[in-house]
Amino acid sequence: MIDLREQFRRQPFLMAPMAGVTDAAYRIMCRRRGAEMAYTEMVSVAGLSYKSAKTWVLVEPEPEEPQICVQLFGTKPEQFAFAVDAVQERVGEKLSLIDINMACPARKVITKGEGSALMKEPELAASLVEACVREARVPVTVKIRRGFAAGENTAAEFAARMEQAGAAAVAVHGRTANQLYTGEADWSTIDEVAARVDVPVIGSGDVFSAEDAARMLNDTAADAVFIARGIYGNPWIFGDARAFALDGVPVPERIALERIDALREHLTLLHATQPYMARARAFAGWYLKGLPHAAAWRGKVVRCTSYEEFMSMLDEVEADVVAFEAATADAACGADVVFGAGAAPAAACMPAAPSVFGASAPAAPGACRSAVPAAGGVADAGPSSPERV
């Protein structure tokens, strides 16, 4: 059985489970860049009990994946027991742990008494943990929230009950269920839970960058940190966070061409692991954020329907980035690349830095913009600077 504390000491930054996001393609992207422990999307124990083929697709890791953490949701102890046994048999030695979702605030989940609604029923929640522990040959963990209703703070008491039922670790998100993802996560909840339980505590909420992840690890009592929305367009975050938090290595900026290459890789993985590409429309936009003329490219992304169309579009994006950077460099040198009156020549001609994530290369006043894709009426960012979103 995996030693969670030892695992967390080695790599404390975990790829959190996210419905509609953490499929095999995204997990592999992050594993190749430093994620050691990765979770499935939320998996219905009812679906596994009914032997749904679509549900099993969410569970099974790809050959490249060395391990998997499977997150289950539901309300019936007997279905959890069946699911744990079935998952262990199907996944085998790659299974690191079973996690029970008691944190999802989605209305379609909580109206069935599942997800964060279980925080209103601690004894039922404990029975689910006990049912899993009886069958499991791996650790059983839980993910919870600060509370259910606005203003509630029941996380510490609830976590203690889950530990008593056999939970080997507790992940806690610092918002109540009613908050959904509005406002700010209260990281003090992590400390309150850690003070009540002896098992490892995983912090969660508002980790959008490697620096955020390191801050949560260093400033709270968390043994490990869930990174969720911080992976959007940034699969490097796990390696970056570890290097920054444990070794003091500054977080590098990702130039535009590096992000385009990563998007190509991600699209290829999705194409290889799923028979459809609709999910790519969301994550492609995350990678394109901050690139020159990003809004126009996103307008084109939503009309892509095949792998070939996505890849062809990326060739256009790359050509546009190269042209934009060249035009910016020429403008800085006083070259004749402007509309109307040219910019004053620079005292010394220096090559422009490549476009980087979250930062824009300077453009001379009135500088000529590079070609903008036809995007169904979506305007480009204008001649003076690339769009930043």
Side-chain angles (χ1 to χ4, degrees):
M1 185 177 290
I2 186 173
D3 183 333
L4 291 179
R5 288 194 188 277
E6 178 57 34
Q7 172 63 39
F8 295 162
R9 277 192 288 270
R10 185 170 65 247
Q11 169 52 300
F13 302 107
L14 318 180
M15 186 177 184
M18 285 188 288
V21 178
T22 54
D23 56 19
Y26 222 135
R27 294 195 303 265
I28 292 172
M29 283 295 295
C30 293
R31 291 183 193 280
R32 291 175 178 178
R33 292 159 178 82
E36 290 190 14
M37 290 190 75
Y39 288 65
T40 63
E41 301 177 55
M42 208 166 56
V43 178
S44 166
V45 294
L48 294 179
S49 296
Y50 299 143
K51 301 181 180 180
S52 164
K54 290 183 178 179
T55 305
W56 276 112
V57 169
L58 301 177
V59 173
E60 295 178 316
E62 289 294 311
E64 182 176 336
E65 297 187 88
Q67 65 77 231
I68 196 71
C69 303
V70 176
Q71 187 183 69
L72 303 175
F73 76 100
T75 58
K76 296 181 179 179
E78 65 274 14
Q79 289 184 340
F80 273 91
F82 175 88
V84 169
D85 187 60
V87 167
Q88 289 180 142
E89 182 178 353
R90 184 77 70 99
V91 178
E93 294 300 315
K94 286 190 175 184
L95 182 64
S96 292
L97 59 82
I98 294 289
D99 185 64
I100 303 175
N101 185 297
M102 302 179 182
C104 179
R107 178 165 296 279
K108 67 179 181 180
V109 172
I110 63 175
T111 53
K112 298 178 182 178
E114 302 166 339
S116 59
L118 287 167
M119 295 201 68
K120 299 187 294 182
E121 302 286 347
E123 292 309 310
L124 172 58
S127 74
L128 303 182
V129 175
E130 291 165 352
C132 290
V133 169
R134 282 194 296 268
E135 299 295 330
R137 300 187 295 272
V138 295
V140 175
T141 65
V142 297
K143 186 171 189 290
I144 68 174
R145 283 191 166 233
R146 180 176 172 85
F148 184 80
E152 282 186 353
N153 183 10
T154 58
E157 181 180 355
F158 189 89
R161 181 67 184 94
M162 297 308 104
E163 179 184 34
Q164 183 182 39
V170 176
V172 58
H173 184 107
R175 290 182 177 87
T176 65
N178 283 2
Q179 283 183 273
L180 299 176
Y181 297 97
T182 63
E184 293 184 358
D186 187 342
W187 288 5
S188 69
T189 310
I190 300 167
D191 297 334
E192 293 166 4
V193 170
R196 285 291 301 274
V197 300
D198 294 324
V199 296
V201 173
I202 304 166
S204 177
D206 291 352
V207 178
F208 299 112
S209 67
E211 292 88 348
D212 289 340
R215 185 164 58 88
M216 177 178 281
L217 186 69
N218 293 330
D219 294 355
T220 74
D223 297 280
V225 173
F226 263 153
I227 303 179
R229 288 178 288 171
I231 73 170
Y232 288 2
N234 186 14
W236 302 275
I237 192 171
F238 299 94
D240 289 349
R242 186 187 186 284
F244 181 65
L246 304 186
D247 302 321
V249 178
V251 177
E253 293 179 315
R254 307 294 172 185
I255 65 172
L257 294 181
E258 183 178 8
R259 291 166 54 210
I260 292 169
D261 284 343
L263 178 51
R264 282 197 182 97
E265 180 185 351
H266 199 157
L267 289 165
T268 300
L269 282 168
L270 185 69
H271 182 57
T273 57
Q274 294 191 20
Y276 46 84
M277 296 295 294
R279 186 168 286 188
R281 294 172 188 156
F283 70 68
W286 299 335
Y287 284 96
L288 295 174
K289 182 179 180 180
L291 265 60
H293 316 119
W297 290 120
R298 289 198 305 272
K300 193 165 185 177
V301 161
V302 298
R303 293 194 295 277
C304 290
T305 59
S306 68
Y307 172 71
E308 291 75 19
E309 288 179 355
F310 276 106
M311 298 302 275
S312 177
M313 184 207 69
L314 276 186
D315 290 340
E316 296 177 44
V317 174
E318 180 172 349
D320 182 54
V321 167
V322 170
F324 177 86
E325 292 175 353
T328 301
D330 287 344
C333 294
D336 187 17
V337 292
V338 296
F339 293 116
C349 180
M350 297 294 291
S355 299
V356 294
F357 179 65
S360 59
C368 175
R369 61 188 168 220
S370 55
V372 181
V378 178
D380 71 77
S384 62
S385 66
E387 184 202 9
R388 302 294 160 189
V389 291

